[in-house]
Amino acid sequence: MKAVIIGAGMGGTSAAIALRQLGHDVEVYEQVTENKPVGAAISVWSNGVRCLDHLGLGNETAALGGIIDSMSYIDAFTGETMCRFSMAPLIDEVGRRPYPIARAELQLMLMNAFGHDDIHFGKRMVALHDGPENATVEFADGTTASGDIVIAADGARSLARDHVLGRDVERRYAGYVNFNGLVPIDERIGPATEWTTYVGDSRRVSVMPVADDRFYFFFDVTVPEGLPFERGAARDVLAEEFAGWAPGVQTLIETLDPDTTNRVEIFDVDPFHTWIKGRIALLGDAAHNTTPDIGQGGCSAMEDAIALQFAFRDHPDDPLAALSAYESSRTERAADLVLRARKRSDVTHGKDPEATAAWYEELRHEDGTNIIRGIVGNIVGGPLT
Ligand SMILES: Cc1cc2nc3c(=O)[nH]c(=O)nc-3n(C[C@H](O)[C@H](O)[C@H](O)COP(=O)(O)OP(=O)(O)OC[C@H]3O[C@@H](n4cnc5c(N)ncnc54)[C@H](O)[C@@H]3O)c2cc1C
């Protein structure tokens, strides 16, 4: 069987490796001309790590990952610790440590595992056609690629999604922007092996370690959609938005490099349950675009890839049956994660201020049990957990 994969993000490259593991002929096409992922880092939760293990990348993942031994929440204004607890119960329960990883490094690992030179860069899909014997992709440069199947892993603004659903899909603004980047670890901001989160005023600021003694940081700022922003202005904007926050937050603002700090408006898409049309299937953000509030978008893209492999393992001679099995195995799980993330986002970002105030109060009495239960609930339910 020949698979044409569109998009060399986490989803597309994972699917490419997974299908090649079964011995299939796989071609990957990507619109950009080089590996330049948006966003500084990503938390790969234990379900995502298991997917990477399955793809043969367990050791590389551990080498790139930061070690989180504990989690804490800090009052934004007083700097007082609201709660701090060990991650050991979570790791014991799900059997695998999570790893925050710099995004470019994760992406490069996946691309190299498939074969960087086997990815066709600079190929922008502009149309899709489904036929009885194969499916074909048209590119902006006038060339085409055909396969027994096309896997569209073309991300949150997916063109293929509109093709599969037969309608334009609206993305929903979640009400906040996320500034993110990498800084050297600095214990004035948070302990080196802790995921530290400052909360207050319906905003949050977080740091967590990645390899090579760096913190991945992010700031969530609740603002209307579409405000102008000039790259390079992050320090000034954040100094104003977070004036009066605890000293650790001020140190982070002083330390970050404004030129490499990203600013992303956060959206999601209402879950939908049609992921295939004939020989064309959606995968990753194209199929389930979520807010990052539970850190599961990329993990579920990798779960899709493993589920796709299992579907082709179970239906080796019938691509249509395999795609159908893939769709059945994934839509409910992915929808659940999108809605869990939306709920979490609403509480974190003050959609109902009373609920947010109640959450802050809960944090002051938290011993880790409830938070870990919630995270475990996100992790279990995929093809490998
Ligand atoms: C701020 C933020 C923080 C996040 N944090 C986490 C986290 O901690 N943990 C987690 O699991 N997830 C996280 N996510 C989500 C995660 O980034 C995505 O779910 C993941 O990148 C999806 O992978 P993908 O391959 O489906 O899409 P993408 O990574 O977007 O890749 C899609 C690829 O398709 C290419 N493409 C698009 N259109 C075309 C076309 N027409 N022709 C050819 N190529 C095309 C793009 O160039 C791109 O390379 C976060 C997201 C954001 C915004």
Side-chain angles (χ1 to χ4, degrees), residues 208-271:
M208 61 182 85
V210 300
D212 296 332
D213 299 323
R214 294 165 297 171
F215 271 146
Y216 162 45
F217 70 82
F218 60 85
F219 296 75
D220 287 352
V221 189
T222 42
V223 286
E225 183 184 354
L227 291 185
F229 174 77
E230 262 182 47
R231 196 165 177 88
R235 181 178 296 135
D236 295 340
V237 171
L238 294 171
E240 193 178 327
E241 294 285 354
F242 292 90
W245 279 48
V249 174
Q250 304 309 324
T251 303
L252 175 58
I253 294 170
E254 283 154 24
T255 312
L256 61 80
D257 177 354
D259 292 328
T260 57
T261 299
N262 307 295
R263 178 189 186 272
V264 196
E265 291 191 322
I266 300 300
F267 290 84
D268 68 7
V269 169
D270 284 333

Side-chain angles (χ1 to χ4, degrees), residues 6-13 29-32 38-39 41-45 103 107 111 123-126 139 153-159 178 180 208 216 264-266 283-292 294-302:
I6 304 301
M10 292 173 65
T13 47
Y29 294 87
E30 165 58 52
Q31 66 181 358
V32 303
V38 179
I42 185 166
S43 40
V44 184
W45 285 101
R103 204 178 265 267
Q107 192 61 41
M111 284 178 169
K123 290 286 193 178
R124 183 166 63 87
M125 169 179 67
V126 290
F139 298 104
D154 56 338
R157 291 191 175 81
S158 172
L159 171 82
N178 174 283
N180 63 69
M208 61 182 85
Y216 162 45
V264 196
E265 291 191 322
I266 300 300
L283 185 142
D285 277 9
H288 44 79
N289 186 192
T290 172
T291 69
I294 58 171
Q296 280 291 344
C299 294
S300 53
M302 294 190 285

